[in-house]
Amino acid sequence: MTATALPVPELAVRRKSFFSQLGKKDNPLRIAVIILYITVVVLGATTSSIGMPTLRENPAEPLGLQLGDASPIRSDEYNAFSPIVLSIMATGAAPTTSVLAAPADLTHRYSSGGFFETFVFFDSSLLYTASFLPDAMVFAAHWWLPALLLFLFLPTWFEQVGSSRRWGWMAAFLIALSPAASWWTMMPIQLIAYTIAGSSLVLSAYRRFTANQRVVPVMQSLAAGILIAGLPSFYIPWSLVLGLPILVASVAWILAHQGQWKPKLLALGCAGFTAMLFAAGMLWENRQGINALLQTVYPGSRRSTGTAQSLALLFGAPGLAPMQDMLPVGINQSELSTAFTITFVWALLLVLNLNWVGQLRENVAIIVIGCFGLLWLLWCTVNFGERGSSIPLLNYVQPARAAQVCGILGSILVCLLLARLPSRKVAWKLPLIAAGTCTLVTAYAVSSLQLSYLPEMARSSIAAAAFAVGLCVFCATKFASRVWPIVLIAGLAAIPVFSANPLLFGLGDLRSSETAKYLSVEGKRAAETNGVWASDFGAFDTVMLANGVPSLSGLQRSGPDTDQWKKLDPGTGHANEWNRGGGFIHFQWTAGEPLTFEAPVPDTTVVRIDPCDLKLRWPSLHAISSSQSLDAGCLIPERTLTWSGKEFFVYKFR
């Protein structure tokens, strides 16, 4: 068969059609996001702080490339979240958290082999590809996946609920660049991205059911249900604040939309049934960890009530840029960081000045997001007293935690409202009023921030933050039909956080160092014989976990496995010290001294024990690591290792 060349006019038409399609809506941006994701994955680039000096073999000669300094305050990330991910990659199964701990699948979104959780925690299931892909690439793919879903699905969700895609992009930038997202290592993004993706798929399935399609919308509904089923996992307080409003707004939009009920029932029924089935199955598979967590001394089943938070905490996010170079007083960077809550002030002014009412169905997403936003704002601005601790769902959320992320709802709300501005030129009154008000509120909040937490902040920083907010509000309101205000806002929003985290290429010393390589081999040997290790140094526990070494010391995130702890404390007389979750188990070697337990801080248990006594209580103890030389009859010196710039002694048993 002979190939026939296309006539020049026809070829030109096809080329024109291709480029017209490429430029349709925001396709170039979406393609750029995907290309950027692939690029960082191939490079193994993340903003993880696992390059901390304590997690280096020799801090003076770190392996790999890291731009910027690791963030010491993100200890949960570099001592728990990321090592758990690396541990799953090393073992091809559940991570090697402490054998004294109950399973932590629910709190860290990983599967221990359960059918339902394997699907619901699909992001962690993808880590098994490390068996044939480079670890750094798999780690980066997992790291950036929530951000990828946020930028791909939030603009789509905006369009699906009757708004504009470009305002969905602005909302995504405000979320991703918020100080809360940066100083909490993208936790808020992870807690909202999967629900946004699931909600968008439900809305898409509804559209397709309306068009009498069947196979594709059924598949979309199933995928949506699995994504939504993960809502009650990871950090549930923030899941309630961030994920639930998006889900409710999506369901309400479908129910309120004019049209036949059959497509609505099909979309919501398929997705809802799948979500309930997989959520129930996931919770059942994790009942041991849930029960352990609820029965702990800390955090236990604690309940909170609404209390007023300071204006500095609520509206100070635009002024947090100096925190990249100085430590706050009386609080740490993570606790002080918030999202852009000033967007609620902006949204209120838009509501008061916009001449729109319309039908309920046209405004249902705005109403739902606005009501949830108002609810959480009240929770962190009004003292509810003791009765507040009895309000279901709300009482699971500490008001300070609500204050940190409710600005994400404000960002979504204000972008939904900005899409309602007329496409023609907006009069000067509204932009000036909105910009002036937001400028004053920001100036006061950042001034309070300086007085309370950042005394070294320059006054010029206060003025700059207030001016930047006013400029963004004015430009986006006045020139709502243009794209450049969104670019301006994204650029200015990056200023408070651009150097908050490092840019790390690879996995630092947690894979390539001699210590890591040795522990990887020993971890496999110990696992084959059901043996365990123990260490007396937290950073050494981290490198053991990252390389899949079964261990007594290390992480206890969901609470204790009581039966295992009874081997150390048969009468459970010291349960108050070890019945804790969300934290760490540390050992200290005290040769010839009696066993003692201590909880120096709420999330840490310290066990002081003679290593020979530990071997008697735990016969499968394979080896220990010690930060100092030990002299005990049961120990055989194996070798020394270097970690955190220190020498560690490895002992096995006679």
Side-chain angles (χ1 to χ4, degrees):
M1 186 173 180
T2 305
T4 304
L6 288 170
V8 174
E10 185 177 348
L11 181 61
V13 169
R14 292 198 177 185
R15 285 178 177 173
K16 182 178 179 181
S17 175
F18 170 77
F19 286 109
S20 297
Q21 180 64 27
L22 182 64
K24 183 181 179 182
K25 295 183 179 179
D26 56 356
N27 283 342
L29 268 178
R30 296 160 72 185
I31 293 172
V33 167
I34 294 172
I35 292 175
L36 180 60
Y37 177 75
I38 294 172
T39 301
V40 295
V41 168
V42 171
L43 294 175
T46 66
T47 54
S48 171
S49 288
I50 56 173
M52 282 289 298
T54 55
L55 298 182
R56 298 288 192 177
E57 190 170 80
N58 182 0
E61 299 178 3
L63 300 178
L65 174 62
Q66 177 176 294
L67 304 178
D69 297 327
S71 178
I73 194 60
R74 294 306 305 132
S75 58
D76 271 347
E77 184 268 312
Y78 59 76
N79 282 330
F81 299 156
S82 291
I84 283 176
V85 169
L86 294 175
S87 187
I88 295 171
M89 292 160 57
T91 63
T96 53
T97 55
S98 173
V99 296
L100 293 167
D105 306 32
L106 189 71
T107 54
H108 283 276
R109 283 186 63 94
Y110 65 79
S111 172
S112 293
F115 174 81
F116 293 102
E117 65 178 8
T118 299
F119 286 94
V120 175
F121 304 147
F122 71 96
D123 50 324
S124 292
S125 299
L126 294 175
L127 296 172
Y128 301 149
T129 59
S131 61
F132 57 88
L133 291 175
D135 283 7
M137 289 176 59
V138 176
F139 183 74
H142 179 269
W143 182 271
W144 294 112
L145 180 61
L148 175 69
L149 295 180
L150 175 71
F151 279 97
L152 291 183
F153 281 96
L154 188 55
T156 301
W157 184 84
F158 263 67
E159 183 181 48
Q160 290 169 325
V161 296
S163 187
S164 168
R165 296 183 67 92
R166 61 193 181 89
W167 291 115
W169 282 98
M170 177 168 145
F173 280 118
L174 288 174
I175 294 169
L177 296 173
S178 66
S182 293
W183 287 104
W184 285 94
T185 323
M186 301 200 302
M187 273 181 62
I189 299 177
Q190 184 172 351
L191 288 160
I192 196 172
Y194 299 127
T195 305
I196 288 173
S199 298
S200 178
L201 287 174
V202 173
L203 291 163
S204 181
Y206 166 62
R207 294 284 191 185
R208 290 181 178 274
F209 277 126
T210 302
N212 293 319
Q213 298 181 30
R214 288 295 179 265
V215 176
V216 173
V218 167
M219 297 300 293
Q220 288 177 324
S221 297
L222 292 175
I226 292 173
L227 284 163
I228 294 168
L231 191 62
S233 66
F234 198 21
Y235 188 55
I236 296 177
W238 277 356
S239 294
L240 293 173
V241 177
L242 300 176
L244 189 60
I246 297 294
L247 177 60
V248 173
S250 304
V251 173
W253 189 91
I254 292 175
L255 294 175
H257 191 259
Q258 190 173 12
Q260 297 181 350
W261 277 93
K262 183 178 179 181
K264 299 178 182 181
L265 296 177
L266 284 172
L268 295 178
C270 290
F273 175 77
T274 303
M276 289 188 290
L277 175 65
F278 276 80
M282 171 199 68
L283 294 174
W284 174 256
E285 290 170 345
N286 287 279
R287 61 191 182 278
Q288 181 183 353
I290 295 172
N291 290 333
L293 181 62
L294 293 177
Q295 295 173 15
T296 55
V297 175
Y298 172 89
S301 55
R302 63 184 177 187
R303 298 292 182 267
S304 300
T305 185
T307 54
Q309 306 300 302
S310 68
L311 281 177
L313 181 64
L314 286 170
F315 299 111
L320 291 176
M323 196 165 64
Q324 298 170 104
D325 303 312
M326 64 182 71
L327 294 176
V329 176
I331 193 172
N332 63 51
Q333 296 101 315
S334 295
E335 298 295 335
L336 187 56
S337 63
T338 58
F340 296 112
T341 317
I342 190 65
T343 50
F344 280 115
V345 178
W346 188 4
L348 175 62
L349 294 168
L350 290 176
V351 170
L352 294 176
N353 287 274
L354 280 175
N355 295 320
W356 59 272
V357 178
Q359 297 180 352
L360 174 64
R361 65 175 60 97
E362 297 173 352
N363 304 312
V364 64
I366 293 174
I367 293 171
V368 172
I369 298 296
C371 288
F372 271 100
L374 177 61
L375 177 66
W376 292 116
L377 270 180
L378 290 173
W379 192 245
C380 57
T381 56
V382 177
N383 293 325
F384 279 69
E386 293 183 2
R387 293 185 178 181
S389 60
S390 301
I391 302 176
L393 296 184
L394 268 69
N395 58 9
Y396 282 96
V397 183
Q398 293 176 296
R401 292 287 181 260
Q404 288 175 319
V405 298
C406 68
I408 290 176
L409 296 181
S411 299
I412 295 172
L413 175 63
V414 79
C415 290
L416 289 171
L417 289 167
L418 285 168
R420 295 302 184 90
L421 289 174
S423 56
R424 65 183 187 277
K425 191 174 182 180
V426 178
W428 290 90
K429 179 181 177 181
L430 176 57
L432 288 173
I433 292 175
T437 305
C438 291
T439 298
L440 290 174
V441 172
T442 301
Y444 183 81
V446 178
S447 297
S448 299
L449 196 68
Q450 181 200 43
L451 291 173
S452 302
Y453 305 113
L454 295 170
E456 297 180 13
M457 179 194 293
R459 290 187 177 88
S460 58
S461 297
I462 300 173
F467 175 78
V469 169
L471 179 64
C472 290
V473 171
F474 175 80
C475 292
T477 308
K478 174 64 178 172
F479 306 102
S481 61
R482 306 291 182 87
V483 174
W484 64 263
I486 298 176
V487 178
L488 172 68
I489 289 172
L492 292 177
I495 292 176
V497 298
F498 75 95
S499 64
N501 293 293
L503 183 60
L504 176 70
F505 295 87
L507 303 174
D509 287 34
L510 290 177
R511 276 290 189 271
S512 302
S513 64
E514 290 300 318
T515 296
K517 292 176 181 178
Y518 170 78
L519 290 174
S520 177
V521 173
E522 288 296 313
K524 291 181 175 64
R525 290 176 179 170
E528 290 173 355
T529 59
N530 292 321
V532 296
W533 279 53
S535 158
D536 68 345
F537 192 72
F540 201 91
D541 289 333
T542 299
V543 68
M544 287 200 299
L545 170 63
N547 289 280
V549 180
S551 179
L552 284 167
S553 53
L555 299 182
Q556 181 167 283
R557 307 302 286 180
S558 283
D561 183 332
T562 303
D563 291 338
Q564 300 297 332
W565 272 101
K566 285 181 179 179
K567 296 178 181 179
L568 300 180
D569 185 20
T572 66
H574 299 279
N576 189 66
E577 284 75 34
W578 52 257
N579 185 19
R580 297 170 181 271
F584 307 86
I585 302 170
H586 297 317
F587 279 77
Q588 292 181 4
W589 309 127
T590 54
E593 297 182 13
L595 169 65
T596 62
F597 300 86
E598 183 186 1
V601 292
D603 64 350
T604 299
T605 297
V606 176
V607 180
R608 296 184 179 90
I609 189 170
D610 186 320
C612 298
D613 183 15
L614 182 61
K615 176 65 175 178
L616 292 174
R617 295 169 184 263
W618 211 284
S620 62
L621 183 62
H622 182 71
I624 65 168
S625 165
S626 175
S627 57
Q628 55 187 351
S629 177
L630 298 176
D631 183 15
C634 65
L635 298 178
I636 303 174
E638 171 74 8
R639 62 167 295 174
T640 60
L641 297 170
T642 302
W643 196 246
S644 302
K646 303 177 181 180
E647 186 178 41
F648 288 85
F649 301 86
V650 176
Y651 296 95
K652 294 191 175 179
F653 292 88
R654 300 184 188 278

